Amino acid sequence: MPTENLSDRRMSKFKNKGKEPTKMRDRRIAECVELRKAHKVEGIMKRRNISSVGDEEPLSPEYNTDNKQVISEAIQEIVANVNSDCSEKQRQGCQAARKLLSRERNPPLKEIVEAGLLTRFVEFLGRNDDPTLQFEAAWSLTNVASGTSWHTQQVVEHGAVPAFIALLASPMLNISEQAVWALGNIAGDGPSYRDALIDCGVIPALLARLTPDAPVGYLRNLTWTLSNLCRNKNPFPRFSAVQQMLPSIIQLLHHSDKSILSDACWAISYLTDGPNERIDVVIKTGVLPRLVELLGFEELAVVTPALRSIGNIVSGSDLQTQAAIDAGVLSALPLLMRHPKSSVQKEAAWAVSNIAAGPCQQIQQLITCGLLAPLVDLLRNGDFKTQREAVWAVTNYTSGGTVDQVVHLVKCGALEAILNLLQAKDAKTVLVILDAINNIFLAAEKLGEVDKLCLLVEEVGGLDRIEFLQNHENNAVYRAAQALIEKYFSEDGGDQCLATEATDSNFVFGASDVQKRFDF
Amino acid sequence: MELNDRNLQTLTEYLQKTLSPDPAVRRPAEKFLESVEGNQNYPILLLTMLEKSQDEVIRVCAAVTFKNYIKRNWRVVEDEPNKISDPDRTAIKANIVNLMLSSPEQIQKQLSDAISIIGREDFPQKWPDLLTEMVTRFQSGDFYIINGILRTAHSLFKRYRHEFKSNELWSEIKLVLDTFAQPLTELFKATIDLCQTHATDINALKVLFSSLTLISKLFYSLNFQDLPEFFEDNMETWMTNFHNLLTLDNKLLQTDDEEEAGLLELLKSQICDNAALYAQKYDEEFQPYLPRFVTAIWNLLVTTGQEVKYDLLVSNAIQFLASVCERPHYKHLFEDQNVLTSICEKVIVPNMEFRSADEEAFEDNSEEYIIRDLEGSDIDTRRRAACDLVRGLCKFFEGPVTGIFSGYVSSMLTEYAKNPGVNWKHKDAAIYLVTSLASKAQTQKHGITQANELVNLSEFFVNHILVDLKSPNVNEFPVLKADAIKYVMTFRSQLPKEQLLEAVPLLVAHLQAESIVQHTYAAHALERLFTMRGANNTTLITSTEMAPFTEQLLNNLFKSLAIPGSSENEYIMKAIMRSFSLLQEAIVPYIPTLIGQLTHKLLLVSKNPSKPHFNHYLFESLCLSIRITCKANPDTVNSFEEALFPVFTEILQNDVQEFVPYVFQVMSLLLEIHTSSIPSSYMALFPHLLQPVLWERTGNIPPLVRLLQAYLEKGAAAIASTAADKIPGLLGVFQKLIASKANDHQGFYLLNSIVEHMPTDSITQYRKQIFILLFQRLQSSKTTKFVKSFLVFINLYCVKYGAIALQEIFDSIQPKMFGMVVEKIIIPEVQKVSGPVEKKICAVGITKILTECPAMMDTEYTKLWTPLLQSLIGLFELPEDDSIPDDEHFIDIEDTPGYQTAFSQLAFAGKKEHDPIGDAVSNPKILLAQSLHKLSTACPGRVPSMLSTSLPAEALQYLQGYLQAATVQLV
C-alpha cells in the first residue's frame, strides 16, 4: 500500500506487512506547531494571583484604568515608596504594586519591570523581619512571573529563585504558599528554568511542606507546582527528580479534593508523555488501578488528565499497554467513548487506536470488552477530531488483527462508516482510511472473498467515493485510491519485460560464457 | 547578456518569430531562445519587454515565455546547477509583484502564475517580504490591484487544502495567518461596505463581487487544515457576513446567460463550501451559527431557478443540507413535519425534474447521457444531490419522508394521466422519486440490493411500468420508455421472477426503438437479467424459458447494431455475448448466420479500433460461438478457421496492435480443439510467432505463451521433425521471459510444455544450457515467484526423466550442485509452492528423488535424505507458506505495468487446468508410501533406521498413516 512519501511520524510508524510490527503505536508529537487556540483543557502553565485579601477594599477606580498617564503616575509613586527607607512606605508601595498586578484586566507587568522595581522586590523577600513586606513582594513577583517568558526571565534574573526557595520554609503559611506559587510559575516556563529550580533543591524543600495538616488551599498550590516540575520535554526532568516526586504525587492522587486530583493527574500525564522508560517509572509505582478508578469520576478536570495519562501509557510498549488493560482500562473506556464532551471522546478514541495497534491478543480484548460498538458509533457520529482518531483505530486494528478479527470489525459496521468518511476534508484521514480498506481487502483475499467485499464496498457507495478520489489533488491520496481501483475493481492486469539478445527473426538462446560458481 | 537596447531588439525579433505558423521559422527561433536562456539578465530582458514593448502581442508573448522559463528553471534541483543566477532571482522577486499589478489582465495572469511557481519554492523563507508587500496593497483602494493580489494569494495558499499536516506546512500557514488574516478580514468588511455604497453601479459591483469570491476562497484555504485562533476569534464577523451574502440578491448582478454561472452564484457556492467545511470539521465552534445557515441555504434553494448556471450552487447547497441532516445533534432542525414537507416539495422534487437540458442530452448526446445516468458519474448533478439528500433524510425520517413522497408520486402520476402528451415529465419525476426513495444499496452487478420496505416496488411495476413497456408504439415517449426499462434493470433483484419473465419479450421489442438511449437500455437490461443467479448458482432465467424468444432476441440484437449511432454500441455487444452464454446450444442453428455477421463486424472495426469494450465483447462472442458449437461437434472447428483466418491474417499483417492478443487467444482456443495432428496452416505461422518484435509488446506475452503451449501440445512431433531449426528460437523466448521478474512464470509455462511434450532427443543438447540459465537467474535475483516456478519445473523434469538424470545434470554443471539445490532451495522453499497440480508435481518429483536416486542414499547427500522427507510431509500436511520476504514486499508495485500495455484476457477463451501427471498418480501420499516400501526392500534396515534417528515424531506419525493407507510396511 502506498504509504511512502509521508513525512508524518505517525504514518512512518504505521505497520505494513513485512515491517516491524511493534512500531505502530502513536506518539504524541512533541513541539507541534499549532494553529488553534491554546487548548482549554490542558493543565495551566502559569497562574496569576488575582484574589483580594480578606477585608481589603477593592481596587480604587483610578487604578483600574488603561490610561497610560494614570498608570505611569501610579508607578512613579510606587517607585518612590519602594525605594524609600521607611518600612511603612515600602509596605505601602509594595502593596500598591501588588494591587496593580492583581487587577483582572491588563495588569501593567512590563511597566513594573521597566520601572526597575524587581531588584527591590527580590531584596524584600529576604526581610524576615517584616512578613507583610515579604508577602506583598512575593505576591508581586508571582504575578510578574505569570506573564510571558520574558517576564519570568526578569524575575529569575533578579535572583528570585534562591530567595523563594528559602521562603518555602517560612513559618508564615501565607508567605510559604506565595513562594510555592511563584516557583510554580517559574517551573511552568519551560525545561530550563524547571531544571534550574531542581538544581537549587526545590523538590526537598517543597516535599517538606507536604504534611497531613497542611490546609487544602496550600496543598492545591503545592500539587500544581509539583505538576509543573514534571512538565515539559526536551529534555524531560531527570529521573532522580522524578523518583523524588513520584511517591508524593501518588499520595496526592488519593486526596479527596478535585483540584488536587486534577493537578496530580496532570503531573502523571506529563511524566507518561515520553519514551517507554519514562512510562515504566510511573507504572512501577502501581498507580494504574487508581488512574483507572479516576476515569470514572464525574469531574471533567479529573477525567481529562487521567484519560490523557492512560492514553500515554497505552502508547507505550505492548507490555505497558497490557498493564493498563490488566488494571481494567477497557471497562472504563466505553463510557468515556460515549461521554457527552467530544474532547473526552476524542482522547478515548486515541487510546483505543493505540491499543488497536498492539498484538492480536490485545485486539481480541477490545472485542471481548465491547469496544467495537462504541468505536463504530464514534466513526458515525463523533465530531471530526474524534472520527479522525477512530479512523486510526480501525487502520491499526486491520493491519494487526487476524482475519477473523477483521471480519468481526467489518460486521460491526466499521467498513461502511469509514467509507462514509472518505468525504472528510482532510487528506491524511482519507489516506489512512484507504489504508484500512486495503487491509480489509488483504483479509478478504485470504478468505477468497474479494468479490463479496467489492460488492459490499460498492453497495454502500464506497466505490464511487474511491473512484472520486482518483481526482484528489494530493498525490499520495490519488495514488492510493488508484491502486485500490486497479487491484480490486478493474479486470485488467499486465506484464513487463526485460531485454534479451535478439535477431530480427529469433531470440538468441544460450547462457553467457562467464562462468562463476553458483551459490544460492 | 547585457541589459541594452540591442539585446532587447534581438530578443523581440526572435519572440516575433516564435509566433510564426511556419515551423521552419518558428523552430529555430525557439531553439535560439532556449540556447540563450541560461545567460544572466535573460529573464530581466523578458520582464523589460513585457513592461515596455510597444507591441501588445510581443508583451503577452514575453509574459508567457517568462512564465514558462520560470516553470522550467526556478526550482533548484539537488546536484544540478542553479539555472538562474542569484542576482536575477533577487531582481525578479523585487519587481514581479509591482509589475504584475500594473500590467493588463492577460499579462497579469501569466505573472501571477509565475509568482506562485516562485512562491512554491521560495516562500516564505527565501521571499520573506512577499506577504507584507501584498498586504500593503490592500490599502491601495484600487480593486484592480487588490484582485491581482487576491488571485496570487489564492494560487499560493490553495495547496493548504490538500497537503498533509506537517510542522513545515503549519509554520508557513501560521506565518501567513499572522500577516494576512487581519488585513484580509478588514478588506472583507470594507468590500462589503463598498458593495452597499456602490449598490447601483454594476461595473463597481462586478469588481467587488469578484473580490468577495476570492476572499471567500482564501478563507477556505486558510481554514482548511485546522481552525486558526484568529478565525475562531473573528468567527462572528465572518459568519455574519457570509450569512448576509447568502441571503443577498442584487438584480444588477443577475445574468442573462443560462449556462455560465454568474458572480453571485460563484460567491454563494463558495460560501456554501465554507459553511460545509466548518460544519464538518469545527462543529463545536460552529454550532451557534449552523441553524442560521441551514435556513439561509434552504431559502436559497427554494428561490433558485432551474437554469444550468445554478447547477453548481444548487448541488453544493443540497449537499450541505444532506451532510447536516445526517448528524444526530441537528436532527431536530429537520424533524418537524412541515419542514420535511417543504424540503421534499421545494428542494427535492424540483431538482429531480427532467429539464430541457436533460432532454437535449437524451436526444443529441446519448452517449454522455448514458454514462451519467447509468454509470453514476453524476457527482455534481442536481439529481444526484437530491438523491443524497433523500438518503440523508431517510436515516432518521424514513417513514415520514416516504409518506410525503408517496403523496407527491400519486399526484404527479395523476397529472400525467390527465394529459400524457403534455405532462409526461411528471411521470418521469415520479419514477425517479420512487427509485431514489427505494434504493438503499446498489451495485453494478446486482442493481438495488437493499430497498426501502415502505415502497411497494412490485405494485408500482404492475401499475405504472408495465404499461409503458407494453405500449405498442415503441417510439412514443422515449424518455418514459427508457425510465421503465431502467426501472426493471435497477430493481431486478427485488422484483419476482414472473415479472422479470414478463418483461423479457418486451425488452426484446425495445431493442428496435430508434432512440439510442432506449435500445441501449434495453440491451443493457437484458444483459443484466441474463447474469442473475437463481438456485444452485445456475442462471435465474434459463435457456428453456428463453426458447420462445431466442430467434427474436438474436435478430433484434444484431439489427440494433445497424441503427445509426449504435454500430459499435458496447452495451449491445455485451448483450450478444451474454445471450450466447445463456442460450448455449440453442444458438447452434443460428451460428452460420451469426458468425458471418460477427466476422463482418470484426473486419469493419479492425480498420480503426476505437471502442475497446465493444471489441472485447466481440471477441468474447466469437469464442463463445466456437466453444458452444465445437462442444457438440468438434469437426466444425475447420469451418470456423475458414471463416476467421482471412480476417485474422489481415489483422496480423496490418499489425492491428489492439487485436493481436485477442487473435492469439482465439487461435489457441481453435488449435486446442483439434484432436488429430496440427494443421499445416498453423505450422506455416510458427516461425513468425518467435519474432522478437512480437514479444516486445507486453500485452502479447501471455496469449503468445499460451498459443505456443498449444503448438507444443498438439504439434511437438511436427516441430521436432520439420522445424527443428526453430527450437533454439523457441528456447530463446524462454530465456527472454525468465530474465524478467514480471514474466518469468510465463517462461516456465513454456519450458514445462517443452519438457512435457517435446521428444527427448530433440532437446537433449539444450538441457544443460537451460539449467545454467536458471541457475544464473537464481543467483542474480532470487524472488519467491521465481523459486516457486523453478521448484515445479525441476520436479516435472525429475518426473519425466528420472531422479538420476536430474542429479547427474546438476552435478555436471558444478560438483555438489545437486546437494546445494536440495538443501538451499527444495527443503526450505517447497512449502511455498501453491496450486494443487503444482504441489502434486513437486510431491511426485521429491518422492522420486528420495527413492530412486542412489546418490541420496550413498554419498554425502545422505544427510539431506531425512530433511527432504520431512519437507515433503510438510508439503502434504502443513498450510501453505504465503509469506514474502521483506525486501520483496514492494516488487509487485515496481513491476505493476502501465495501463496501455494491459493484457486483455478473454474469459470465454479460457483454458482448462492441465495436469501433466494426471491419473498416473492419484494419491501422492500413497505413492510415497509405496516407493519407500520398494526402497526399503532393496536395502533392508536402512530406511527405518534413518527414520527413527532423525525424523520428528509428528512427521513420523503422518508417515505411518500413509503406510497404513497403502497397506505396506518398511523393512
Side-chain angles (χ1 to χ4, degrees), chain B residues 300 511 730:
Chain B
L300 179 76
L511 286 170
L730 186 63

Side-chain angles (χ1 to χ4, degrees), chain A residues 212-487:
Chain A
D213 54 339
V216 167
Y218 187 92
L219 280 183
R220 285 180 185 160
N221 273 316
L222 186 65
T223 313
W224 174 73
T225 297
L226 280 175
S227 82
N228 268 357
L229 286 166
C230 297
R231 191 175 190 146
N232 286 312
K233 326 183 200 183
N234 299 325
F236 289 98
R238 55 174 182 266
F239 273 112
S240 58
V242 174
Q243 298 282 21
Q244 267 181 301
M245 288 185 280
L246 257 174
S248 306
I249 293 170
I250 305 294
Q251 195 187 327
L252 290 164
L253 265 183
H254 288 83
H255 205 278
S256 58
D257 181 75
K258 307 294 181 268
S259 163
I260 292 173
L261 282 177
S262 173
D263 281 323
C265 277
W266 279 115
I268 297 290
S269 84
Y270 304 142
L271 293 177
T272 49
D273 182 12
N276 293 354
E277 53 279 19
R278 295 268 156 189
I279 297 176
D280 249 357
V281 174
V282 174
I283 292 183
K284 287 212 176 94
T285 62
V287 71
L288 269 167
R290 176 61 180 164
L291 275 179
V292 170
E293 201 179 326
L294 291 171
L295 288 179
F297 268 49
E298 287 215 352
E299 289 70 18
L300 197 61
V302 178
V303 171
T304 301
L307 180 53
R308 174 71 57 84
S309 309
I310 289 289
N312 287 338
I313 290 167
V314 297
S315 76
S317 69
D318 289 348
L319 274 176
Q320 291 169 337
T321 306
Q322 193 58 46
I325 294 175
D326 294 342
V329 69
L330 293 183
S331 32
L333 279 173
L335 271 178
L336 298 176
M337 291 163 86
R338 298 194 153 118
H339 197 278
K341 287 294 277 187
S342 59
S343 60
V344 175
Q345 294 178 5
K346 185 194 96 175
E347 292 277 334
W350 177 62
V352 172
S353 81
N354 275 324
I355 299 171
C360 56
Q361 294 81 352
Q362 288 176 0
I363 290 178
Q364 194 58 40
Q365 281 174 296
L366 290 178
I367 300 175
T368 319
C369 295
L371 272 80
L372 298 197
L375 180 65
V376 172
D377 275 355
L378 291 183
L379 286 169
R380 288 192 186 131
N381 298 325
D383 81 342
F384 180 69
K385 282 170 290 183
T386 310
Q387 287 175 325
R388 196 164 50 190
E389 295 302 334
V391 161
W392 272 106
V394 171
T395 301
N396 287 343
Y397 179 112
T398 52
S399 63
T402 65
V403 172
D404 285 346
Q405 288 169 342
V406 173
V407 169
H408 188 73
L409 184 68
V410 171
K411 283 191 179 147
C412 289
L415 177 64
E416 183 173 357
I418 58 170
L419 287 169
N420 262 322
L421 284 172
L422 283 176
Q423 302 179 94
K425 295 178 203 295
D426 179 64
K428 178 63 64 60
T429 304
V430 171
L431 187 66
V432 173
I433 295 172
L434 291 175
D435 238 328
I437 297 170
N438 193 55
N439 291 336
I440 295 171
F441 266 107
L442 291 175
E445 272 180 358
K446 289 190 184 144
L447 293 169
E449 296 199 339
V450 169
D451 291 345
K452 218 167 133 189
L453 182 61
C454 284
L455 285 179
L456 183 61
V457 169
E458 192 186 347
E459 263 188 342
V460 298
L463 178 57
D464 275 357
R465 297 204 182 95
I466 301 171
E467 278 177 343
F468 193 60
L469 290 174
Q470 294 184 103
N471 306 321
H472 202 280
E473 296 261 17
N474 186 300
N475 272 336
V477 169
Y478 119 84
R479 277 201 311 269
Q482 201 177 41
L484 276 174
I485 296 286
E486 279 179 14
K487 191 161 175 209

